[in-house]
Amino acid sequence: MTQPNKRHNGLSQTRRTTLPTAEEALPFTPLTSFVPFDISIVPLPSPFNPSSRSSLASILDDGGTAHRQLQELDREVTNPDSSSTGAPQSLAALQSAFNGSDLTALKLKVPPPPDNHQQSQPETTKGPPPPPRPTPGLGPYAKMLLDTTNVQFRYPTPVSPGARASTVAHKTPHPVPVPPKAIAKPTSLSRLSPISNASAQLPQTSAGSITPTTSSRSSGFLGVVVPPTSSEHSEYRSYPELDASIERGEHTGSRKRKRGSDEPVPQLNLNVNLDLRKQADVAVTELKELLEDIFEAESKEEVENEREESLTGAQYFLLNKFTERHKLLLASEVLIRLDKLITKVLNAGRLESIALDSLLHLQQMCYSVLEASIMFDAAIPETLEEDTMDVWNAGLEGVKGALRASKILLRIMTAGREEKELYAETTVTALLICLRQPLEACIIPSVEARGNNQHKDFYTRYPLSRTHVDALLPLAGHVFELLGNVLLSTDLSEDSINVLISLTSEVIFVDNAGSEKDSLMGVQRFEGLRRNSMNALANIFWRYPGQRNEIFDEILSRLEKLSVKRQAAKNFKIADGKPVQLVSALILQLIQTVASGPIDSKSAQTLPGPDLTDGLSSTSSSPTKRASDRHQQAPPSPDDPQTHDSSDCCERLYQIAATRCSAAHRHASFVANFIIQRAMSTKKSDDQPYRELLDIFVQDFVGLLGNALWPSAELLLRALLTQLVGIATNDKSAVPAKNLALDLMGSMGSGITELRLSVQRTIRGLENSANLLDRRLIQVGEDVLNSKIEAPDLVSTTGPQATVLTSLEHKIADDVYLQSARDYYLVQWAQDVCNLRGSLLKFEENENEHEVMRSCNDTANWLLESIAVKTNAALDSTFDDITDTQSRLAFSVTTLNSLFCRNLHRIFTILLTSLSSSHATVRSRSLKSVEKLLENDPSLLDRVNNVMGHILKATTDSSTMVRDSALRLIAKCLGHRATLEDQVVNPMIVLSSDGAASVRKQSIKLLKDVFSHSSRSDTKSAIAAALLRRMNDVEETVRDLTTQTLEETWFGPFHQACTNDRMSVEEKQNLREHAKHIVTTLEYDETLLPALQTLVKDICKPSSKSNAANQAVCRAVVELLCDSVIDNQVSASVSRRAALSTLTVFVKADPGLLNAEQLMMLEPYIQNLATREDLVIYSSVVVIYRHTFPRLSSSHVNFMSSVQHKLLTTLQKLNKNELNEVTTCLQIIDTVLSNTERLVNLTISVIVSIKAEVHKDLSTDTPAICAEREKLGRRVTLAGYFGRNFRLEGHKEAFQKRLGLAAGASVSGLIVDIIHPLTSHERPPSLRERSLESIALICQSSPNLYEKPKVSGLFEEVFRKQETRLERVVLSGFKAFYAGEESRSKAQADEAAGEGAASGSARLGKSMTIGENDVAASTIAQHFLPHILKVALSSTDDLALLATEVIVSTDRQGLVHPKECEPALVALETSPNKDIARLAFEEHQAMHHKHESMLEKELITAIEQAFAYQRDVVQDPAGFTADFTCKLGKFFEVLKSGSLVGRKKFFANLCRRVDFNATKMDSVQTLQAHHLYVRFVCQSLGLAEYGRIDELLYLVACIEKIFTTTGNVLSQKIELALEGLGKDANGENAHDPVVSADVLAQLTLGSMMLMLLWNTRTHLRRLWSLQSFTGSKGKAALKDASKAPMRSAVASPEAFIKSTEAIGALSSPQAMVQQCRAFLETLSTDNEHRVSKSEDEDEDTVGGTKLETPDVDDELAAVASGRSRSGGSKKHRNSMMPTPGKPGRPRKTDRPSLGRRRSTKTSMGGGGDDSDGGWD
């Protein structure tokens, strides 16, 4: 028997495993996945620098470098005295490289077993067999590395004999990979036990295959046995067809995809340039030749010109003129050429071909260039002289050369050479210095320069120098780019890293221009440099985990330097998106980098990281504990092939995902917390723009929410949302913090809704697609939108996450953003898989769960492999061609299912809940945020319960701001859901009469929209009625808006129909329905008739734009109304009475709307008075006739005579209201018919009958007397109206004959004399009232009667006895007389204006003539005004309104001095009767505008009058109404329209008035009354509006003066009174005070008044943010002191009012003592703040600079002495009150200066007891 050959096929059952050579092992490594044209391009691992890339060719050389390095390490390890540190550093580097999470997982190919024929075939090799190769042992260094390194790996499970038989029976020519299921649990290499021979017997393999094997040695080494002919050329097969295809360029290969075992092996992508090697050789040769030429020229120069300064080799060198040593510097052209050649050599991977000495020499020459450049100051010269600029330009050439030399140095470092000499630290240091100098001195100042910058002349005058500066930008950018590459492969010192971090941060935060026109260097040119620096910083962040916190600190500390201008801030362009802020992109990239970079030990120890689900809805959790619990309950079955490694695989995947996700979460939480804390702690007056920056960050992150390149945007938003939810839901959070949170949450929710809408649009666009991937994504997208998605559908390898990841892999190339996005997304996917698997382990197994678990295990294996190899493993063929739309939809779907987006409902709920907050600003902010969400996604109205309920509740809020915001939100809701009309109409109608003008106007606009779209007649009528009520609004803008709205809704739609010649049937029907609608609206509320009259007048007046069209519509409506009166043609539901009332309104507004024929048709209605309904119709027709008859011609005499007759026959049946119209109409008819005798005879008969019964006793109440008294009263009323409306003075003869009229007497006087006896007190009250009314009526037509003693005495007696009914009669007469006078004056003015300048002298003559009317008006004002004022200020009823109308008319006509009425007008402005307040306000405003200087002395009297009115009449002495508005608000509004000096004088006078004499206290009753007045004033000042900041500062200063001076005197008295009064253990007074109760009450009242003033001062400072205008920061705010102040959200009116209510302070001696002590504490230490003495400045100064306003002392002293500011003694003025902060009160050690506050700090979430949240 022949002895078997020991090397038969390289295998033997008794052989010892040998290590293969590199050449033998090469074909069996993953490196054979491509065809290496040259083995030199395969990188070699180095023990000194594992990341370096030396050539593998050197290992094939017997004297290779790797062998020498190992020998050096062995000698160092065996020599204990060696001082070298190479071995420890190399050992640490290799151990870091062996980190299991970062190692590439290699699956070695397992060959099939050989057949029996091959095993029995004898050896045919000729010649003696070669000797067996000795098995090398491990050297000392390798042994130490093996013992100290723990490497996780897997080895193949031994194959059973049955499996071996099966394998032999099914031979295959291809290697069969080991399935993952057969891989055992990973075991440490150093702890691996020997494997027995029985289990290690492996089948023999055929030639060219490999198999893992184990040695019988105890080391357990896993080796690879290689056959000897593995790399011989003769063993390769040729494929001529493939070669020809490659040469023709037809072969393109295919992408990686999953394939079955029966599919053919795909062709390799071999479309490469066959000349690459030749090109590389040429580049290497050119570089070597250039270096030789340079070195030779250098040597020649050094020899020939050793002591000369001339230069012969100018083509290569420049002479160094910046240092004393004359060194040769490489010329710029040479540096450019060297850079190009080195780049070519590097791209070919051939830098090893360049000798080390040459590279070191080249580095030294480049270093010389850097050294020379460092000596040059690159700053732009201050003087632009020509010589200076020439020197500077030459220096810039050196700087450019240094940057080019830096590029060469960095390229050499990135080549991966292993020689340590090439990585000198001094070179890196010099390089960074060389880069920093031009950046800081030249580039950055040039970038920050603007059109008005100091460098403008430089750029204008020296374009050549500008060219030099512009050229530095791309060079510096290339240096940053290469530095980033060096960081990935080379370890730099900590100092260099810190310098580079600072330098990149400085470039990133340069203030670039917002547009190209504002930039001198170009915006985008610098953005390229900034991006390169950002990438370099990201590489540092990835490479050095220990520097990550420092990098974030550096970035966040520079945020305040960013521009908050939206246009200037967003220069980082995003593909398929809007540009964002560069820092936003940087933060996102750094967060994504954490997922792919190494994790430091600190990160690993913080698992699982910060919880970003606090306060958010989440179902995810760590699967680790659940998995362990599940395994304990149900151990895996050994028959299940998945149980061999699925648990371990998922555990490893969870450790990787949890570690990296935890690090990313921690950094995201740090960034979110930092920005939010700074935004909350920043005052509005500060220059640090953290609040605006936070808005920009959120806007950027939300904009990138659906962008697959920035998946970390969701994590940052989640971190921010976690913080914001905590703030919004914390009851102790400050108001500004809550507003911030709600605003940002609204923006976030809006971003989520936009993403949902984008997904919906994309799905609709793909509905008709037949693509399998499209259908799959559509189904998943719909499930996510409907919240029905199952987790397995998302995390499977066929889900949307796989689609996104594959799409990124296809595009990744060298894009750093895509790489970081891919790694981050991969880790997030891994975490989702682990979370799903952990959730499955909670339940009992079933068939469906088993399938899902299997899918999770497969996905986990795939993810683990992808993370290990840094690329995606093969997936389903569905993902071969993924479009951008599919990728975008897949990523959007996965993002919508993220924790952040799933909290949309939570966000919306918090916003709705915040509508119930106790702070108005919080409620308003919530409404605005809700508006953002509903604007994007109206479906929230349906998906969330009771949304409209919360919104409608806000319409009744006490805050005007909230109500206005609610109306705006309702408008948005109506735009999306018209069906909500019925719910919102009534609240909007109520708000149309709101107290705030802005709310009324907003409501009117909404009502207009609802009116236009509504089809319900009752809704339209209700809206129209609400609008008509606003025709008499106090605010002129509201009246104008109402007029415009009614014109557009009631008349505008019919303009075209009514102006056409013919109207269609449909148009007529529409107009008839509209006329019905008008009548119905007025019938609904008859008080609206005057408003409609005003409306018709306004829209039909000549100045109206559409007056002709409006008149046509009115005429058509009047015609329809006339028809309806006759035969009810409008509608059966509309009564004749209502139609006639509406017709009356139109006729009053414009009598020309009716013609004579229509008037004649109305005649029958004036002769029938059988019922009350007939009387109403009768009255309406009479009114129509009264207004239209003056326009009729004489041709209608018969008609008018008929009407006269019928009217005269009905006089006895009429009431006094109808009598006025009838008598007026009779007089108008008489002017046409000229038959006055009928009227005279009728009047005489009535007077005669009265005269006959004037002295008859009618005081008894018998039926006959009552009837007779009623008859006499009716005749007296007739006499009054006859005497007023009939022109009787021309017919005195008739009265002389019948009544004995005396000569020279008047008829009206005669009638008054006859009626006057009936006004005596003996007469019945009803008869007295009628008689007085008749006299008042007659006086209106004969004003000279007001001067008769009999008449004036009668009126005087009425006011003196305060008979209300009679006072109403007299005041009504005054009102009617004054109204007639004002109408007459207005008519004369209009007539005079129409006549023009030609009759100017005539008008002047008339105006200078005093008539009897003028005398009468003046007589009334002089004699009766005090009585009228008393009536007006005695009540708030209709009588007071009547008196107010008389006062306003008197003041308006200028009948009295303005100061006589102003106090009353101010008091009446505070009336709860809105009509009284409106009239008083309008007149006060007009008078103040005309006579401000005259009235300023009466302002204090006006305030006192208003207080007395509120105290005595309104019975409410407080200064605010129920909705916390200022009662004196209208007064301050009028005051604000005046001069600043006048307002400051008023404040000075008012503060003096509220002050009291603390030295000699008044009685308790007097002090109590004064306390009420002080409270009224303080509450008014705290709630008022102000026009300028400096007047507020002045007011605060005045208050502080009172508190200082009076407070010090009062405090001394309190201290003496409470001396020796201690406290017991419970804090109560040890004994009662020794002073009397009255004295203690006086002191308590004084302290209460001063505390009122101090609380008002504090509230004003906080409400209007006055802190920024005092102290050291005041100088910057000086320019803003003249502007209008802005309200702050930190001070609420509720809290202020509460602080002014000292409830129970006088209830007991103990309470009074407590109040006094509280005052002493406030006086000694201001609880608001405390600052250093350096900030102790005048409160009425800004930054130490005196404001240009009157001094407080001057004003108060001037008021006290009654003189002007300029007069008087300066000493006297300054001694009255001390200046704030200056000496003027006792300085005690325990009593610091006032105006300071204790510094307080609040946390982000709460304000504690400080309701203002720590804000000033």
Side-chain angles (χ1 to χ4, degrees), residues 140 217 688 717 795 977 1034 1066 1143 1566 1578 1586 1606 1653 1793:
R217 299 168 58 182
Q688 298 176 348
L717 288 171
V795 302
R977 295 287 188 276
V1034 179
E1066 182 180 0
L1143 180 62
T1566 304
C1578 289
Y1586 298 91
T1606 307
L1653 291 169
S1793 62

Side-chain angles (χ1 to χ4, degrees), residues 1359 1371 1374 1378 1420-1421 1424-1434 1439-1440 1442-1447 1450:
F1359 286 118
L1371 289 175
F1374 289 165
Y1378 278 152
I1420 294 173
F1424 301 108
L1425 182 60
H1427 299 292
I1428 299 174
L1429 290 174
K1430 183 177 180 180
V1431 173
L1433 295 173
S1434 299
L1439 182 61
L1442 187 59
T1444 302
E1445 291 174 338
V1446 176
I1447 295 171
T1450 302

Side-chain angles (χ1 to χ4, degrees), residues 1792-1804:
S1793 62
L1794 298 174
R1796 311 291 176 248
R1797 84 174 155 188
R1798 185 179 299 109
S1799 176
T1800 58
K1801 295 182 180 179
T1802 57
S1803 61
M1804 178 186 64

